[in-house]
Amino acid sequence: MNKRTFLSISIMSAVSAILLSIFGFSKANKEVAPVKSIYDLSIKTIDGKALDLKTLKGKKLLLVNVASECGFTKQYTDLQELHEKYGDKITIIGFPCNQFGGQEPGSENEIASFCKKNFGVSFTLTEKIEVKGPNQHPIYAWLTKKENNGKMDSDVKWNFQKYLIDEKGYLVDVFYSATNPMSKDITSLITK
């Protein structure tokens, strides 16, 4: 390669980089395809049955870490309402977790019984898991790490944090505990 060709290529590369950064297409801001799909993952339900997430393709997913003794526990009512009202468009999955204030101390049988008796929960609940730390369940490793989900990094801050996944298995957004499941922030994305 001669000096003139090298100089032309260098100038074109620099101009391209400047244009990309001006118009917001830099690699730092760009969403990337997930390393693996959420549909490659599985978990056991609260009654010990295998739940392969690929069986849920074609519907949105709302994944929520739940606890029975939290100030947000009343959101079970709203999650159930969301399930009943939009169940043809979305699958709700609750992940019992005892990592925030020890607010989910019961066994899986106790959790299932509590949710059914007090809130009429009929949406899917899973086995009790950890949503952060060294024993983080692979589903939550996918949800919280951009390198896995292709969209964003996040931390699970407290019980009843919600992750919305679209029909193709892409992360849409995360909603913190204070966002009610029946809020327009969530329902507008379900009906979209």
Side-chain angles (χ1 to χ4, degrees):
M1 174 180 330
N2 65 35
K3 190 174 180 180
R4 181 180 225 158
T5 304
F6 178 76
L7 186 57
S8 294
I9 291 171
S10 297
I11 290 170
M12 286 176 19
S13 294
V15 169
S16 294
I18 291 167
L19 289 173
L20 286 174
S21 67
I22 289 171
F23 292 105
F25 296 115
S26 70
K27 284 184 179 179
N29 295 330
K30 186 176 180 185
E31 290 181 21
V32 295
V35 171
K36 69 168 154 181
S37 170
I38 195 158
Y39 298 130
D40 295 331
L41 303 172
S42 62
I43 192 166
K44 288 184 178 172
T45 62
I46 203 159
D47 56 359
K49 296 177 183 160
L51 174 59
D52 190 341
L53 296 187
K54 76 175 124 212
T55 63
L56 304 175
K57 279 184 182 180
K59 285 176 86 171
K60 291 180 172 81
L61 304 175
L62 188 66
L63 309 180
V64 187
N65 61 305
V66 295
S68 300
E69 298 178 5
C70 178
F72 293 104
T73 300
K74 62 185 180 239
Q75 285 189 13
Y76 271 127
T77 300
D78 304 299
L79 288 166
Q80 182 62 29
E81 182 181 351
L82 192 71
H83 170 68
E84 291 171 6
K85 187 169 184 177
Y86 298 104
D88 59 327
K89 294 177 174 65
I90 192 164
T91 297
I92 298 164
I93 303 175
F95 297 81
C97 176
N98 195 39
Q99 289 185 284
F100 301 99
Q103 295 179 348
E104 189 60 280
S107 69
E108 289 162 349
N109 285 338
E110 290 169 332
I111 295 165
S113 176
F114 170 84
C115 290
K116 185 72 174 166
K117 177 182 174 189
N118 294 294
F119 300 99
V121 168
S122 61
F123 58 86
T124 300
L125 294 172
T126 71
E127 64 188 323
K128 203 166 165 180
I129 65 164
E130 292 189 14
V131 299
K132 63 180 186 165
N135 297 317
Q136 182 182 49
H137 192 279
I139 290 174
Y140 272 81
W142 189 92
L143 292 170
T144 60
K145 293 176 178 63
K146 182 177 180 177
E147 67 191 54
N148 295 331
N149 64 49
K151 173 117 178 161
M152 71 175 87
D153 288 316
S154 66
D155 293 317
V156 184
K157 305 280 190 200
W158 197 252
N159 302 310
F160 290 88
Q161 184 163 312
K162 301 146 198 82
Y163 287 87
L164 184 64
I165 312 298
D166 73 13
E167 299 88 343
K168 295 180 181 178
Y170 288 94
L171 178 62
V172 175
D173 210 344
V174 59
F175 302 92
Y176 294 101
S177 306
T179 303
N180 186 288
M182 289 298 295
S183 73
K184 284 200 185 273
D185 292 338
I186 295 176
T187 58
S188 66
L189 294 171
I190 293 170
T191 57
K192 194 173 179 181

